[in-house]
Amino acid sequence: MRTVELIGVVLFLGVLCSESKYMVYNTSAGIDAGKINVHLVPHTHDDVGWLKTVDQYYVGSNNSIQGACVQNVLDSLVPALLADKNRKFIYVEQAFFQRWWNDQSELTQSIVKKLVNSGQLEFINGGMCMHDEAVPHYIDMIDQTTLGHRFLKEEFGVTPRIGWQIDPFGHSAVQAYLLGAEVGFDSFFFGRIDYQDRIKRKKEKSLEVIWRGSKSLGSSAQIFAGAFPENYEPPPGFYFEVNADSPVVQDNVNLFDYNVQDRVNDFVAAAIAQANITRTNHIMWTMGTDFRYQYAYTWYRNMDKLIHYVNKDGRVNALYSTPSIYTDAKYATSKSWPLKIEDYFPYADRANAYWTGYFTSRPALKFYVRKMSGYYLAARQLEFFKGRNDSGPNTDSLADAMAIAQHHDAVTGTEKQHVANDYAKRLSIGYTEAEKVVASSLACLTDSKSSFGCGDPTTNFQQCPLLNITYCPASETDLSHGKNLIVLVYNSLGWKREDVIRFPVVNEDITVHDSEGRKIESQLVPIVDAYVDLRKYYARAYLGSSPDDVPKYWIAFTVSVPPLGFSTYTISASKKPGAGSTKSSIYKFQKGEKPAIEVGEGNLTLTISAPSGKIINYVNNRNLVEESVEQSFSYYTGYNGVNDKAPQNSGAYIFRPNGTYHIKAEQASLTVIQGPLVNEVHQQINPWIFQTTRLYKEKEHVEVEFIVGPVPIHDGFGKEVATQITTSLENSKTFYTDSNGRDFIKRIRDFRTDWDLEVNQPVAGNYYPINLGIYIRDSKKEFSVLVDRSLGGSSIVDGQIELMLHRLLLDDSRGVDEALNETVCVLDDCRGLAVQGKYYYRIDPLGEGAKWRRSFGQEIYSPLLLAFAEEDGENWMSSHTPTFSAIDASYSLPDNVALITLQELDDGKVLLRLAHLYEVGEDSDLSVMSKVELKKLFPGKKIVKVRELSLSANQEREEMEKRRLVWKVEGETENQNENPKVVRGVPVDPKKLEVDLAPMEIRTFVMEFEVDLMSTTFKRIVDA
Amino acid sequence: MRTVELIGVVLFLGVLCSESKYMVYNTSAGIDAGKINVHLVPHTHDDVGWLKTVDQYYVGSNNSIQGACVQNVLDSLVPALLADKNRKFIYVEQAFFQRWWNDQSELTQSIVKKLVNSGQLEFINGGMCMHDEAVPHYIDMIDQTTLGHRFLKEEFGVTPRIGWQIDPFGHSAVQAYLLGAEVGFDSFFFGRIDYQDRIKRKKEKSLEVIWRGSKSLGSSAQIFAGAFPENYEPPPGFYFEVNADSPVVQDNVNLFDYNVQDRVNDFVAAAIAQANITRTNHIMWTMGTDFRYQYAYTWYRNMDKLIHYVNKDGRVNALYSTPSIYTDAKYATSKSWPLKIEDYFPYADRANAYWTGYFTSRPALKFYVRKMSGYYLAARQLEFFKGRNDSGPNTDSLADAMAIAQHHDAVTGTEKQHVANDYAKRLSIGYTEAEKVVASSLACLTDSKSSFGCGDPTTNFQQCPLLNITYCPASETDLSHGKNLIVLVYNSLGWKREDVIRFPVVNEDITVHDSEGRKIESQLVPIVDAYVDLRKYYARAYLGSSPDDVPKYWIAFTVSVPPLGFSTYTISASKKPGAGSTKSSIYKFQKGEKPAIEVGEGNLTLTISAPSGKIINYVNNRNLVEESVEQSFSYYTGYNGVNDKAPQNSGAYIFRPNGTYHIKAEQASLTVIQGPLVNEVHQQINPWIFQTTRLYKEKEHVEVEFIVGPVPIHDGFGKEVATQITTSLENSKTFYTDSNGRDFIKRIRDFRTDWDLEVNQPVAGNYYPINLGIYIRDSKKEFSVLVDRSLGGSSIVDGQIELMLHRLLLDDSRGVDEALNETVCVLDDCRGLAVQGKYYYRIDPLGEGAKWRRSFGQEIYSPLLLAFAEEDGENWMSSHTPTFSAIDASYSLPDNVALITLQELDDGKVLLRLAHLYEVGEDSDLSVMSKVELKKLFPGKKIVKVRELSLSANQEREEMEKRRLVWKVEGETENQNENPKVVRGVPVDPKKLEVDLAPMEIRTFVMEFEVDLMSTTFKRIVDA
């Protein structure tokens, strides 16, 4: 259909859908400077999974759980918008929109494009989902936003202007400055802030602020941010969903119950009430809520009438609007706004209802997401090296699964169990495809014979996604009959890396050689019962069967891997007995024996008190830090308010402890494993907590691996299991936690920067989300803990850091309507979920902790990727390329820079993101401007074009900066907010191709390379 | 928009709304003779008031009670039908459709007309509402159907083919033969039949029958009638309302939970299950239910897919269909069907759940409807005489209110209280307008001065709608100062009529003169306390205030009124004291006085036992009938199953007694009022029942007037108040009740004609609806009771007739969710509703009862209409036309014929309906062919054209008969079903203009008269 015809259709539908033959509603109102302007913003909030899965929400199945069908929203929206060109709508979640878009005919698509172009339909936020802000890693937030934004750019040529995080349970600094300002948003709106904060802000008209989320980037990354007065629904009585209760506007004089004046009065009263707590004469009404607009027309029918009659009344001015129009109107007033720094955590919606439980809820899902995040980053690198295959296998489905998993009811753990399963299933499917990409890329990269692309690589690399349950079929091959195992170790970091890897083996007498044929020291670590049990049960649960043979050992050895590259090792049976790996010594403490034992082969040693099983002393011989450290477990019983008048259980969202129980470690269970590379202290803390404290000879941190669960619930009490690490540091209630794995924010116990806190939950109200780590410090030392996934933590007692590791049991009445009680089943035998994980701690002299937190933190995020292959007779090393680095051999990224995205796009261009890892002032050496040489990053390729883009890669950075609104901050003069001036990297010189990165800066580029018939990657290998 | 453009639009919408760019669903299936054909009939069932008022349902307000908005249904339907020309829909309730239609633009109207023409949108049933079948009077059923049918004919040129009574609670013979066959329907479908009956019919595949509802009209008025296997919803799992639970068809292979084969299997299984209880290979699925299709697209989206995939599967054939297509398919099979006679009452949906309470529920509303019915009939006559005024006042709003009140949750009393109020309000508004029509018509007709039309009539006639509470301001004028009162008495029957009228007066010494100046005998009857109390409270409740003065007397006198005409009387102060009305004598029984007293001034005398207060003997001196008659009251306590496992309360629908309590009359309260015209026995039966037994000198029946209420509920028990009249007749469990006031049907206690009844409710299961009357007989006598409104009744004991008069208290869990507890409030003072009413009884020799039942029954339906005017000085009689008859002075209708419609249509033509009042064999004289002479009915007019129409006046009778499907009845040979041949009136000879009417025949005509500049009516008056 051509445009002319389309216009006819639009006209037609306008007439067809107009309410009445008598009434034509005047909905054309714009802004009236002399009145209160009520911006009606029609919207739907479509959770990308919560009570139902994303697909169930889309098609509208499983409605017995929740009547919700996104298809209906979008199907019914199109004719409703066509019917009146003044009507507007915003759409947010691209995971849904893309599902719908793919289903539409070209004609519908062309109509929708017109609606987008005319501004009737505006995409805002625009990521695949409305990600959570507490528990996702910032890289995942960027990736999922980019995925949505690039789709919108490619399909519609549009760039969302507005951040719209209306439902997440508190709001992060990173969201404001990075996923807000750095994405190019003009403003950012949200619904949930602490109830005490909200009261104060309403009183002071400070719900709308200028938010500077980053100490380092300051005003260069500030954003206009508005918290809604209540929630993201319309004012009471203006909710016009099909079958909803609000009084419809009855303006037909021929029927009974004509109520126009009543409704106009209600409208004006609600508008004035909101105007009384809002600066300027612009207020926003969020006309919609979760999965509403099932039949969009019901809303517009009533809004049309309200706009018509309210404006006829004249006391206030009502208009169809969007957050963009609202933002521009606010901006046009040239008013100043209060300044907001830090973040909006934790969130409590009322007394005793701190939403700090979800920082830890479903810790296994949280780990799976984090693990896949690092894997996805690595897989995209390898996909790029090999060359992307649009028709697959590729990393797209993992990208999609990861994006969806960032939703604020996904990785948060606040969904129903079947939905959590759906996220895991998607990740698993995505992983399986990405695993193929990785395997084939590695095979290609190692395949010396193939100089021209990668036709038929010879090596079949296996990976071991279940290594965490000590299950790795590829490594568990019997080497005693002469077979050798090739182990490839890929490093996705931009630095060379040395680390101890480990995997299970079935042979005892084996040797490790590097690719040069040098024998490497290795250590056999016994696989103890706790791990065997985990392997047996979970392999059966995940795979349907469990192999009968159980390997007795992990082999551990130190690998050295170049940046963005791999090294290869050969595992083989020892030529002569005893010449292979060193077996660890095992020392089981008996009652009354030695009072203490010292472990540690390197600079760091721990002294363990045998009677208590606790660490009593921590000594670093290099930097001379010495500290008493006591680590213990406890659990909180979850509040069960079933008999209360105003009950508030602890649940998936809310942490509400009702008593603390310290878990006394069982003395008899102490075992020390010692060897040349790693020492371990094994402790069966109680029947359902097993802990390994691990010291690597070459590392100066303590690695703690825990297995918590199945948490017993036969007593009917929910248990929220925490660990405390207690030092003597005098941190004066102060601790630091990261924002989405990036900036650290200062936290003070029982205190809020923005208001006088009324403390009603002395534990839950002091919990904060931890993605990277938490630290405390005093005048001499800093004590840092880093984590392998997001979890909740705090410093409830001076000198102590606490992490919550696992939690259950009740529902907290925030909609999930299902107990948080994760189980794992083998057929009908279900057990409580056991959670395995690691955290790491270290004590540094004051001012020296950041280096470890930042660089080792990056290593935790991007663990070495292992791939295994059996050597098939001939010498694999000599016939293959055993080592590889994608970057110039002379080069590695600066210590303060990480490559957080390297990805071939579907148009063949390459997306590159570089992140400065340090904040201003964080480290005396590394909190400085850094420089990356792109030519050395892509040594074999000719860079034709480098364009710097916004963070989500949907617009030119320069254009974005030009368009950026310059908001005024209350109390700051014109240039005061640039003092001290924020320094940022300058535009890239197309000749020099060097990228400057200021502290905390992330810069995003699209690169184009000279097209070469010969694969440049492989060409480089051949050239090398 | 022109047609060509419209087609473009339709095509466009088809593409726009098609589900997927990949999928095009083949929805074009027609009938496949070789398979089970599943006729998918998309429908919505829109109650014209129930839990919400009709207007609330239409606009979708008050959704907290029920999420229902008819606007949504129709608004969303149009684009859904346009999107695929195979999609179909039926719409039923014209009260809603007209509201919507009036709101639509001309363009939408033209599109909808195309949808109707193409058969995509089919109107079925087509009355204003889906009337009830137990409690409406047949005249009201005809009127409301005609109103809808004529609209459809005029606006769309269509004639509904199908009766669709899917929700009413049992089904009447009159519905089947009169509102079915005589309307021209080809079939008739319904959802509710007795659960025991249903089981048997499913087993015998006899849910679909040929129903001959009339003994008199037999096969000439039979219809194909189908009861649904369960209800009028889709089979479980195929309910696709927005937000509904049924599994949607998920056929997108790119999403999870693809379920096409599962859904096809479910569909086939449900189809086969239904086919197994259905004759022929056609089954109907009713795809919809109450107020559904709020977003029509959700249904079609899924039905499209089902049709596509089910037909691809091939085991059964699925198609979009309508009941018309289904009926034609059934007919095309040429199969024979079981014969059904009588009706489907009473209805029980399970054991102990007999829907026989609603026969009486809200007895005051039932009376109001019946009273308005007679008034509406009279008002239309008077409107015709005067000439209809399209712009009002006219009888249209009363027509509309009456039509809506016939809905199966209106006059039934099964709506919420606020909805009952709405019906009453509509009747009141309609009455108020009709009252003006009547007053002005009477003024015109009496106005001798005005020969040419009715410009400025001189008499201001007042009417007294509150005469039932003894409140008549017009008659309560003080005549002592020489003012005279003119009383006009209009008779809407086609026969001359003599009757005693009464109204309150304030003067004692007054005289009545007829229009010739002759003094008429009159009697003053004291207004006793029970009536004074009623007047005071209800006048205050209805009018806001109650006049302080209370008239002491009713004046009663006998009037004689010509057919379709009026007489006039003058009431004036007596010239000399004592010469006026006779005061009644009053005799209050004292304890121990006379043992019995005889009352009655004419042929009929009753003997009252003073000690018991009961009638002990009934003697008719004319026909020598003598009988002992004992009349008493009792109440059933309603079952309250709140503590039961399977509770079933008695409620608005369901009568479930839990014990019977006889009410012992209070001995002391007996008062006898005697006078020349009427004798009365007053009894205060108990504190909340007052009864008047009334004998007119000139009548041979007993009139009983009761005031029941406020029924005490302080004991928490619901009470269902009944009266029993016990005789010695040996009726052998057999009694007769009317069908909607027309045919009498034989009932046998604890017995059903169609199946072996399992008795679980020996009282409730024997109740039947009574509109006209109930009678029993034995070998010698028949005992008849006639009623003034619909109520429930039975003969629970031989010789006895029982009527239920009033009932309350609980909710019976059929959706109303509100206790049946009617109250009347004066400000905040609310009392239980008192119900006033009358019934009449008479005992005749066997075979002689019908005459009274039929002719007096017609008088009850059409009481004399009274209008009052004050004489303003000059002699009113001499300056006005004091008597009038619209028909030829020499003529009156035959005794067995009633004029049930005489109405000027909005096109100026005149609608005439004549009804034979007797059944075949009912009366030896009157159950014969009768003849009406139209020329004499319209003596002053020239009849230009008489067209006989179907009962609902929307098609030529002859055409209708030609099109009528000739169904075969099982066990009957080709012509057997015409043996004995049914005789009916022959077509009217346009010259002779005589209408033959066979027993029970109703014939409908549209008449055209010669247009005359001079009003023909007034011309006739002048001529006379």
Side-chain angles (χ1 to χ4, degrees), chain B residues 19-312:
Chain B
E19 175 76 2
S20 154
K21 74 198 218 189
Y22 310 110
M23 276 308 310
V24 175
Y25 299 106
N26 180 0
T27 59
S28 66
I31 287 163
D32 183 333
K35 288 178 180 169
I36 295 168
N37 289 279
V38 185
H39 293 253
L40 300 181
V41 175
H43 79 107
T44 183
H45 172 67
D46 299 344
D47 288 301
V48 180
W50 179 37
L51 310 182
K52 310 203 294 189
T53 69
V54 53
D55 284 350
Q56 290 166 357
Y57 276 128
Y58 174 65
V59 302
S61 60
N62 227 343
N63 272 356
S64 61
I65 292 176
Q66 186 183 12
C69 171
V70 176
Q71 255 188 113
N72 287 347
V73 175
L74 292 165
D75 283 347
S76 69
L77 181 68
V78 173
L81 290 183
L82 286 175
D84 181 346
K85 67 177 175 16
N86 299 310
R87 292 177 179 170
K88 292 183 169 57
F89 197 76
I90 54 175
Y91 200 80
V92 176
E93 299 85 0
Q94 295 307 308
F96 286 121
F97 187 80
Q98 289 179 13
R99 277 168 171 71
W100 184 77
W101 188 249
N102 291 337
D103 258 358
Q104 302 314 305
S105 66
E106 282 179 18
L107 178 57
T108 303
Q109 289 189 344
S110 74
I111 288 167
V112 172
K113 283 182 177 172
K114 285 186 176 291
L115 291 172
V116 172
N117 289 340
S118 72
Q120 279 194 266
L121 176 60
E122 181 175 335
F123 295 107
I124 67 174
N125 224 34
M128 296 298 281
C129 68
M130 186 182 292
H131 53 222
D132 183 60
E133 299 183 29
V135 300
H137 196 275
Y138 75 93
I139 294 179
D140 294 336
M141 296 163 88
I142 294 171
D143 283 340
Q144 84 89 8
T145 304
T146 301
L147 208 58
H149 279 196
R150 282 185 45 81
F151 166 81
L152 290 174
K153 183 72 175 186
E154 285 169 15
E155 200 74 33
F156 296 95
V158 299
T159 304
R161 289 183 54 198
I162 308 293
W164 188 256
Q165 293 280 119
I166 61 177
D167 195 24
F169 328 129
H171 300 280
S172 77
V174 156
Q175 177 64 30
Y177 89 85
L178 196 59
L179 280 304
E182 292 292 301
V183 158
F185 287 163
D186 290 324
S187 60
F188 168 39
F189 297 95
F190 42 92
R192 297 183 186 270
I193 63 171
D194 184 280
Y195 70 105
Q196 298 178 15
D197 193 10
R198 193 192 297 272
I199 290 167
K200 190 184 179 209
R201 289 182 183 279
K202 285 163 86 162
K203 204 180 294 168
E204 298 179 351
K205 298 189 175 184
S206 60
L207 286 165
E208 294 176 322
V209 297
I210 303 303
W211 188 354
R212 287 184 192 149
S214 169
K215 291 188 298 290
S216 302
L217 298 177
S219 63
S220 79
Q222 70 186 20
I223 192 165
F224 179 85
F228 299 142
E230 298 301 334
N231 51 34
Y232 51 82
E233 301 204 335
F238 293 93
Y239 174 83
F240 297 115
E241 182 66 10
V242 60
N243 295 332
D245 290 0
S246 289
V248 296
V249 182
Q250 207 297 70
D251 63 339
N252 184 336
V253 292
N254 298 317
L255 304 180
F256 290 176
D257 309 333
Y258 181 90
N259 68 355
V260 169
Q261 196 53 53
D262 286 351
R263 298 267 54 204
V264 167
N265 290 343
D266 293 345
F267 189 103
V268 171
I272 290 171
Q274 188 170 339
N276 285 339
I277 55 159
T278 309
R279 298 188 190 201
T280 80
N281 60 338
H282 294 280
I283 61 173
M284 190 200 297
W285 282 12
T286 43
M287 301 302 291
T289 187
D290 299 7
F291 296 101
R292 299 303 77 173
Y293 287 68
Q294 290 290 318
Y295 176 36
Y297 189 41
T298 58
W299 289 88
Y300 289 108
R301 182 195 286 141
N302 283 284
M303 286 189 289
D304 281 359
K305 294 181 184 185
L306 285 172
I307 291 171
H308 179 85
Y309 292 111
V310 163
N311 293 344
K312 220 166 142 185

Side-chain angles (χ1 to χ4, degrees), chain A residues 768-788:
Chain A
Y768 289 88
I770 300 170
N771 274 275
L772 168 57
I774 174 171
Y775 68 93
I776 58 178
R777 62 188 185 189
D778 65 10
S779 57
K780 293 174 193 142
K781 300 175 195 163
E782 42 192 278
F783 167 41
S784 311
V785 180
L786 301 182
V787 298
D788 65 346

